Every structure is written in structure tokens, then in C-alpha cells.
Amino acid sequence: MNGQMIYDDRHFEDHISADVPVQIYQGQSHSDIGFIEYYGKEFVQVNNILYNRKQFTFVSRPGY
């Protein structure tokens, strides 16, 4: 769903499988938008940049 926060491994896997972009925020500041290339326990990779899952918020952006 557009605007839904994603935080669970299942959410990240769904976004990779469905090729749905995510928007990334640090606090209330927009940091990036793109497709998840990799996710692990601590990091999510988008646009060749690793984002710490504890420092950044990931928001679903289908149709972006």
C-alpha cells in the first residue's frame, strides 16, 4: 500500500519480488527513493547505498 512503512523482512522481500520502490527517510528528512537491491538484519541497500535499518525509515511507494 502506498505510504505504508516497511520494517519486517517479509515487507522487504515483497518489495524486491514485486519490484516496488521505497522512499527512505532519516527522521522527517527525505534521503532517497529507489528499489531494494539487498536487505539484511542491519542494512537495506538502495541505489548502491547501505541504509541502517535502525537509523532510517522505509516507506512503500508503488507506482512512483
Side-chain angles (χ1 to χ4, degrees):
M1 182 180 291
N2 191 20
Q4 180 181 14
M5 289 180 50
I6 60 172
Y7 50 86
D8 192 70
D9 286 350
R10 177 180 45 100
H11 299 153
F12 292 109
E13 185 62 40
D14 287 347
H15 279 68
I16 290 172
S17 297
D19 208 26
V20 174
V22 295
Q23 196 162 7
I24 304 165
Y25 291 90
Q26 186 171 27
Q28 294 194 348
S29 298
H30 174 263
S31 296
D32 203 354
I33 191 166
F35 296 94
I36 298 171
E37 300 159 352
Y38 162 84
Y39 74 94
K41 181 180 177 181
E42 296 182 33
F43 296 97
V44 176
Q45 183 175 329
V46 175
N47 297 327
N48 293 319
I49 300 170
L50 291 174
Y51 293 96
N52 188 305
R53 287 173 67 165
K54 293 180 182 177
Q55 292 180 324
F56 293 88
T57 302
F58 304 89
V59 178
S60 182
R61 291 293 183 220
Y64 186 83

